[in-house]
Amino acid sequence: MPEERRGVGPRGVVLIAIALAGVWAAVALELAPQGLIPSSGGLRVARDLLSRAVSPALSYEAEVPPGTTPLLLKAGEAAVATVTFAAAASSLALAVGLVLGFLGSSAWWAGDAAGGEGRWGRVVQRGAAPALYGLTRLLIAFMRSIHELVWAVLFLAAFGLSNLSAVIAIAIPYAGTFAKVFSELIDEAPRDAAHALRAAGAPPSMIFLAGLLPRALPDMSAYAFYRFECALRSSAVLGFFGFPTLGYYLAASFENLHYGEVWTYLYALLLLVIAVDRWSGALRRRFVA
Amino acid sequence: MNDADGAIRRLYRQRPRSRFLRLSAALLLALVAYAWLGGDFGAGGMLSPRRLANVERFLGEIRPFPLQGRDFEPAIFVRWLGEVMAEKGWHAARVTLELAVAAIVLAAVGGLLLSLPAARSWATPEPYLPSPRPPGRWRRASWRAVVASARSLQILLRAIPEYVWAFLFLALIGPTAWPIVLALALHNAGILGKLGAEVVENLEPQPLRALRALGADRRQIAAAGIFPQVLPRFLLFFFYRWETCVREATVLGMLGIPSLGFWILDARARQLYDEMLVLVLLGALLVIAGDVVSAVARGVVRRAA
C-alpha cells in the first residue's frame, strides 16, 4: 500500500493563507451579510432600476428644450466619443510602450544588441546598458503603478478639463503595461531564428528586428487588441470625471433618476465592449493559431 | 544566387494572407486616424496661457505646506510626512488593501463556480465518456443553454467596469465597504470564470475519463479530477487579478469609501495638492508592493506545480 501523503503541501499553505486573509479583510471591513440588504430607499431604487432593464429608454424621460439631440443619437455620440478617446489613448500608449518595451527587454541589451567591438562597445556593455535597462524597468513600474483615474485627477488639478489630458491619463499606465508585457513576450519568444541569423553573421539590430521580433509579434498584437478593449472601459469611466464619454451621461441620468436612460447608456457600453471582445477573439484565432 | 532570390520571391508570394486580418488592420488604422484628427485632442487647449499659469500654481502647491516659501529642511519634511501618514495615509492604505483582499477572495469563489458550467467539456449531457443511452434532444439543448447562460453572465460581469458597478451598488446598499467589494468581486469573477473555463476545457481528458468510467458523477469529477488539476493555473490568475484589484481599490474609494482614492479626491477638493501628491505616491508604492507579493506567491505556486 502506497504511503499516504501527510501534512499540507506548499499549495495548501497558499490556499489556507488566502482564506485567512479573506477572513481578516472581511472582519476589518465589517462585511456582515446583513450589510447586503438594501435600505428601504435602496430597495426602491433597485426595483425601479431593475424594472427598466428590459425597457431601456428610447427617448428622454423628461422635457428637454427643443433642438436637443434625440436620446439614441446622443448615446451613439457618447459611444463614438468613448471609442475615440480609447483609440487615441491606446495608439499613444502603444507607440510609447513599444519603445520602452524594447529598452526594457533583456534580449535587446543581451550582449550583441547594444554592444559592439572595441573600447566604446565595452563601456556601453558594462555601464550604460545595465543602467538604461534598470532605469527603464523603474520607469515602467512607476507608470503602471498609478491608476488612470488618479492620473486624470492629477491632470485635472494641473490643467483643468481638456480632452488631451484624459487621453494622456489613460496612455501613461497603459504604456507602462504594454512595455512590461512586450518586454516579457520578446524575452520569451523562441530564439531559433535569432540563432540562425547570428550564425549567418547578421548584425545585432537585424537579429533583433528580423529574428526575435517577428516571433513575438502575434502575441503582441493580440495583447494590444485586448488592451484596446480595456481602454474602452477606462474611457467610459473617465466620463464620471466630466469628459464627454458614456460614463458622463450614465451618471447624469442616474442622478436625475432617469433609470431607463441609464440602461440605454449601459447597453451601449455593453454592445461596444462585446463587439470588440468578439472581434479580438476572431483575430486571436487567426493570429495565434 | 538567382535561384535563391527566386525562391525568396516565391515564398513571399505564397505567404499566408487573410482578408479578415487586412480589413481589421485597415479599420484600426482608420479608427486611430479619425480619433487624432477629429477628437479635439490638440495640445492647444492644454497649453493656453491661463492653463500654464494654473500649472505653475499647481507645481508651487505640491511643495509641502510648511516648506513653502523657504529652503528645504529634511526635519520639517519628515515631521510633515509623518503627520499626513498618521492622519490618513496608514489608515487609507490599510483599507485599500483590505478591500482588494476581500474582493479577490469572493471573486475566486464566484469564478470557480462560474468556470464549470461555462466549460463545454464538463457541462454536457455526456461528460468525458459517451453514456450507454444517448441523451435526448431536450437534455442536450438544456445543457447547451447552461453553457450559453454561464458565458453570457461572464461577459456581462466583465464588460461593465468596476467603477460603474460600484456606482450602482452604492445607491442600492449605501455607503459601506460592500458596494466596492461587490463591484470588484463581480467584475473579477467574470474574468476568472472565463479564464477558468478555458483551463477546464484544455485539461488532459484521460484521468477524467477514467473517473467517469469508474462511475463518478459530474460533481465528483469536478471535486476529485478537475479541481486539483486546475488549481495551479487558477492560483496564477488569482494573483494576477489581485494585483489589479489593489490598483482598482485605490480608485474606487473616490466614490466615498475611505480608501486612498477618497482622500486623494478630498485633498483635491480642498486644494491640498501637497497631501494629494503624498497619497498618490503612497498608492503607487502599495501597488508596487502588491506586484512583488504576487510575484513571490506565483513563484511558490509554480514551484509546487
Side-chain angles (χ1 to χ4, degrees):
Chain A
M1 195 167 156
E3 196 182 330
E4 204 173 316
R5 219 172 55 175
R6 288 192 180 279
V8 190
R11 220 179 281 151
V13 173
V14 172
L15 277 186
I16 292 170
I18 288 172
L20 286 179
V23 172
W24 163 75
V27 170
L29 292 171
E30 298 171 13
L31 292 179
Q34 56 265 36
L36 276 173
I37 301 167
S39 61
S40 60
L43 267 182
R44 208 169 46 244
V45 176
R47 208 186 45 227
D48 294 351
L49 186 64
L50 288 179
S51 66
R52 293 307 301 269
V54 285
S55 61
L58 301 176
S59 59
Y60 290 106
E61 290 176 47
E63 287 292 315
V64 286
T68 315
T69 327
L71 177 69
L72 290 186
L73 208 59
K74 187 72 142 197
E77 277 174 12
V80 169
T82 307
V83 175
T84 313
F85 275 76
S90 28
S91 57
L92 182 61
L94 188 63
V96 178
L98 272 176
V99 174
L100 287 179
F102 289 167
L103 293 180
S105 82
S106 45
W108 172 256
W109 297 112
D112 34 54
E117 302 299 314
R119 193 147 61 94
W120 282 111
R122 270 200 300 282
V123 170
V124 168
Q125 288 264 307
R126 301 246 171 84
L132 204 52
Y133 172 75
L135 278 180
T136 313
R137 301 298 309 190
L138 266 182
L139 180 65
I140 290 172
F142 178 73
M143 289 164 76
R144 261 165 51 76
S145 65
I146 296 181
H147 193 280
E148 57 267 19
L149 289 185
V150 177
W151 282 117
V153 169
L154 283 175
F155 285 137
L156 280 173
F159 291 95
L161 196 67
S162 100
N163 285 353
L164 184 61
S165 54
V167 168
I168 297 179
I170 301 182
I172 294 174
Y174 277 57
T177 309
F178 272 136
K180 176 170 184 263
V181 172
F182 284 170
S183 62
E184 283 164 6
L185 287 176
I186 293 173
D187 284 346
E188 284 163 13
R191 295 294 169 90
D192 45 2
H195 286 315
L197 280 174
R198 179 177 311 159
S205 56
M206 284 316 283
I207 296 179
F208 185 84
L209 288 178
L212 276 177
L213 201 54
R215 299 306 300 262
L217 216 48
D219 280 332
M220 284 165 69
S221 317
Y223 185 75
F225 211 93
Y226 163 70
R227 290 304 291 183
F228 177 57
E229 187 194 322
C230 299
L232 276 179
R233 279 192 288 258
S234 298
S235 136
V237 168
L238 271 174
F240 283 80
F241 292 73
F243 299 99
T245 59
L246 279 164
Y248 177 82
Y249 301 100
L250 201 157
S253 293
F254 192 87
E255 267 144 27
N256 290 324
L257 312 180
H258 295 157
Y259 296 128
E261 292 175 24
V262 170
W263 284 103
T264 312
Y265 293 120
L266 267 182
Y267 282 132
L269 176 61
L270 211 58
L271 279 181
L272 217 54
V273 175
I274 291 175
V276 172
D277 180 80
R278 283 285 146 86
W279 189 10
S280 98
L283 277 179
R284 215 181 345 250
R285 273 193 299 281
R286 282 179 176 72
F287 249 149
V288 199
Chain B
M1 207 59 211
N2 265 335
D3 271 5
D5 283 346
I8 288 172
R9 245 192 312 265
R10 204 165 50 247
L11 281 172
Y12 182 75
R13 271 199 307 276
Q14 290 168 353
R15 73 196 185 278
R17 267 177 288 194
S18 150
R19 185 176 297 168
F20 180 67
L21 280 186
R22 293 185 162 199
L23 220 75
S24 298
L27 193 56
L28 278 176
L29 276 181
L31 202 60
V32 170
Y34 170 76
W36 282 109
L37 295 177
D40 189 20
F41 296 133
M46 219 168 159
L47 299 177
S48 67
R50 201 169 52 85
R51 291 247 157 105
L52 285 180
N54 201 24
V55 171
E56 207 177 312
R57 196 172 53 86
F58 175 78
L59 290 179
E61 286 180 10
I62 57 175
R63 192 173 168 89
F65 180 69
L67 289 170
Q68 276 172 21
R70 59 183 293 175
D71 287 338
F72 186 83
E73 278 180 49
I76 297 180
F77 176 71
V78 168
R79 201 172 56 228
W80 172 80
L81 193 65
E83 277 166 15
V84 174
M85 289 299 289
E87 201 182 324
K88 33 192 99 150
W90 293 119
H91 182 252
R94 222 189 70 196
V95 171
T96 306
L97 193 65
E98 288 163 0
L99 288 171
V101 170
I104 195 65
V105 173
L106 264 186
V109 174
L112 268 181
L113 292 180
L114 263 182
S115 57
L116 282 176
R120 285 199 194 91
S121 56
W122 183 84
T124 141
E126 306 172 287
Y128 302 106
L129 272 187
S131 54
R133 270 185 312 151
R137 196 185 311 154
W138 199 84
R139 279 195 62 203
R140 271 184 203 286
S142 53
W143 275 111
R144 264 203 296 276
V146 167
V147 174
S149 45
R151 294 194 171 205
S152 324
L153 181 60
Q154 288 174 0
I155 292 184
L156 177 73
L157 295 176
R158 282 202 317 268
I160 307 282
E162 300 96 323
Y163 199 90
V164 175
W165 279 124
F167 178 83
L168 296 177
F169 284 135
L170 202 61
L172 304 188
I173 38 185
T176 63
W178 268 120
I180 292 182
V181 171
L182 268 186
L184 276 175
L186 285 183
H187 182 80
N188 283 292
I191 295 175
L192 286 175
K194 180 195 182 200
L195 295 170
E198 279 167 13
V199 178
V200 171
E201 285 187 351
N202 293 334
L203 282 180
E204 282 289 323
Q206 275 87 354
L208 306 172
R209 218 170 269 157
L211 275 176
R212 181 70 179 156
L214 287 169
D217 62 22
R218 218 176 262 108
R219 202 166 41 84
Q220 288 167 326
I221 294 180
I226 294 181
F227 181 71
Q229 283 195 79
V230 166
L231 190 60
R233 288 301 296 279
F234 195 79
L235 280 175
L236 294 185
F237 296 141
F238 172 88
F239 285 112
Y240 270 123
R241 289 316 298 178
W242 179 67
E243 288 174 26
T244 50
C245 275
V246 177
R247 268 168 62 80
E248 296 291 335
T250 321
V251 162
L252 289 180
M254 290 184 181
L255 289 163
I257 306 302
S259 84
L260 280 161
F262 174 80
W263 293 112
I264 289 173
L265 266 200
D266 179 68
R268 177 178 176 234
R270 297 196 277 138
Q271 305 217 327
L272 302 173
Y273 292 138
D274 48 352
E275 279 189 31
M276 182 170 96
L277 192 67
V278 170
L279 295 169
V280 167
L281 293 178
L282 182 63
L285 272 184
L286 192 68
V287 169
I288 292 177
D291 286 5
V292 171
V293 170
S294 154
V296 170
R298 276 182 279 128
V300 170
V301 171
R302 276 215 187 86
R303 270 196 305 283

